[in-house]
Amino acid sequence: MWESETESVRGREFGNGFFSSTKHGFNTDGFQLKGQSWYVATDIPSDLLIQVGDINFHLHKYPLLSRSGKMNRLIYDSKDPDLKRIVFEDLPGGSEAFELAAKFCYGLAVDLTAGNISGLRCAAEYLEMTEDLEEGNLVFKTEAFLSYVVLSSWRDSIVVLKSCEKLSPWAENLQIARRCSESIAWKACANPKGIKWAYTGKPSNVSSPKWNDLKDSSPSRTQHVPPDWWFEDVSILRIDHFVRVITAIKVKGMRFELIGAAIMHYAAKWLPCLIQDGELQADEMSISSHSNSWKGGFHMIISGTKDDNLSIQAKDQRTIVESLISIVPPQKDSVSCGFLLRLLRAANMLKVAPALVTELEKRVGMQLEQATLADLLIPNYNKSETSYDVDLVQRLLEHFLVQEQTDSSSPSPRSFSDKQMYEGTQRGNNLNPKSRVARLVDSYLTEVSRDRNLLMTKFQVLAEALPESARTCDDGLYRAIDSYLKAHPTLSEHERKRLCRVMDCQKLSVDACIHAAQNERLPLRVVVQVLFSEQVKISNTLANAITLKDPAETRYQTLITNRKTLLEGTPQSFQEGWVTAKKDINTLKFELDGVKSKHVELQKEMENLQRQFEKMSKPKPTSAWSSGWKKLGKLTKMTTVENHDIGPKISTTIEHVRKPPRRWRNSIS
């Protein structure tokens, strides 16, 4: 093991790393191994055989009874007074730990190291070697060594925690794993400037340091200790102990970026399939070196294979993936989006719990704008006809839109880590997250459109998932549509028209318009829309060029050239259809002008009629003259009625009555 650590306890009460018990000692020169059996080098014949696994120990009852409570019960409570054979099938630590415990009972010197202390501590507890039988018994000795020697050392804490993997549940019940995890967490959170102990560190590109090569890895006064100095040492732990250490580190307040980097380093060592070109390059040598020296790691395999050993490894892999998902820090950008997507790929392949997969999908949606096309092309491991999991990308897009809506409703300033992560990309690319995701989705659609089993409805739903404002140019979407039409030549005219509706012809560039004009896979209506939109752009540009004659001459010539190229590149059938369509458009324009003129005439007539109606509906002013004339009109009506009813006698009276008004009129005039 690490010799420098055991040398550090020299001069202490443990006697240069050794301890012994001379009380109740048994005169012996030591133990001798003959084949699969241990013998005590003494003249007294053995009276007890203890079998631990495949190893036999020929011992004496008296030294064992004086220190082990379990041996006392087994021998004295036995119905057989001449018991000479005892079998320990479940003794923690195995034959190695029992050998040390037996030597301690005989008063021999026992060498305590970080590699054997945990097994010996559990064996002492199993054999009940407590203070009730004798002061300074094995339980007390091993507990003191753990507390004062092991937990004060970084490397010893790592080794002891690693050795606890074979001692469950004894190491858990005795709090050995918990105490080692706490010690590791405290030292990992220490200021790197104050670190004086030895550590492994990340392996270099030339050679990987070994665990007992301490001189090269020990920090000197002038050596700079990086913040990730503890990654390599912690990554050798089993997943449950690694989770315990990371949880303790979180509680102590370490930066979430470092925690995420440690998780990625651990995944690189235990899940080699997650490593791709350009990602975690510093860990590639670590994996290659450990593939030869360290044989405790698993290798990613496809579940459902016929080999039983591989199925067991698949279960172990699933445990690792589930544990890593559960300890990823919740903060955004704690790990890269590429790592999350590769972890999601492994989760789908290994049939991880659906709740964890959903949580991981939400995490990917939080930073989907950082993803690349290679990471997004996740195979479909379910029984489906499509090669890639398009439904998964649809869910990721939904989570991204929900996150964007949440961020827009409650804006918060970017964190330092966020700025640092995007520093390289923001210099050359000022697109907002939605625009970057739109480009990513267009590239993904172009790739998956070659799959003949992809339904058009899924293609449309994924293309229309983002709002229209996310795309300033539809060239990528046009490329995806053209690829889908090429891979699905049996689509009807109606289906092709419906598919092309997801694209805005006005957002196509000149190059895309030229290609669309020559594309016979597009419907004629779409080609006409492309040509018409390009003509509108040219007309608008010419109208704007009138005010700026000199600067616009070059642009005007370019537009004319582009228009000629566009028309010359159009197939003959499309050109004939375009001529017919242009005539129809001119006819419709003429008819529309006639309708407009008729509408204007009708509107004028309506206004005239409205004015006349307003004049007639106005009330006339009344006066004494008008009331007098109304009375005379009434008398005239009454006279006419009486003339018809009475006859010629009354006619003279009516004439007499009519005369006074005439005189009154003459007098008035």
Side-chain angles (χ1 to χ4, degrees), residues 280-297:
L280 299 174
Q281 294 179 357
D283 299 333
E284 292 179 355
M285 183 61 65
S286 169
I287 297 169
S288 60
S289 63
H290 268 274
S291 62
N292 296 328
S293 60
W294 179 254
K295 297 183 180 179

Side-chain angles (χ1 to χ4, degrees), residues 551-615:
E553 288 181 358
T554 305
R555 188 177 181 183
Y556 172 76
Q557 295 295 335
T558 304
L559 290 173
I560 293 299
T561 305
N562 291 337
R563 187 179 180 185
K564 290 181 179 179
T565 306
L566 190 67
L567 293 175
E568 290 175 358
T570 307
Q572 185 66 27
S573 58
F574 282 0
Q575 290 183 9
E576 296 175 356
W578 167 246
V579 173
T580 305
K582 192 173 183 180
K583 291 181 180 179
D584 295 338
I585 291 173
N586 293 332
T587 304
L588 291 174
K589 285 183 177 180
F590 179 77
E591 294 178 357
L592 183 61
D593 293 338
V595 171
K596 286 183 178 180
S597 60
K598 290 181 180 180
H599 176 69
V600 172
E601 293 177 359
L602 291 174
Q603 192 171 6
K604 290 181 179 180
E605 293 180 2
M606 183 65 183
E607 290 176 356
N608 294 332
L609 292 174
Q610 190 173 2
R611 285 196 294 267
Q612 293 178 5
F613 177 75
E614 290 177 354
K615 290 180 180 180

Side-chain angles (χ1 to χ4, degrees), residues 179-203:
R179 287 182 289 172
C180 290
S181 300
E182 290 290 333
S183 174
I184 294 170
W186 276 114
K187 292 176 175 60
C189 294
N191 189 347
K193 296 181 180 179
I195 293 177
K196 302 299 182 183
W197 54 81
Y199 63 91
T200 302
K202 285 190 176 182

Side-chain angles (χ1 to χ4, degrees), residues 27 66 96 282 356 486 523 552:
N27 294 327
S66 63
E96 295 84 0
L356 291 174
K486 185 176 181 181

Side-chain angles (χ1 to χ4, degrees), residues 599-640:
H599 176 69
V600 172
E601 293 177 359
L602 291 174
Q603 192 171 6
K604 290 181 179 180
E605 293 180 2
M606 183 65 183
E607 290 176 356
N608 294 332
L609 292 174
Q610 190 173 2
R611 285 196 294 267
Q612 293 178 5
F613 177 75
E614 290 177 354
K615 290 180 180 180
M616 295 175 64
S617 60
K618 289 182 179 180
K620 296 180 180 180
T622 57
S623 61
W625 297 99
S626 61
S627 61
W629 286 108
K630 287 181 179 180
K631 290 180 180 180
L632 289 176
K634 289 180 179 180
L635 290 174
T636 304
K637 290 180 180 179
M638 292 174 62
T639 305
T640 305

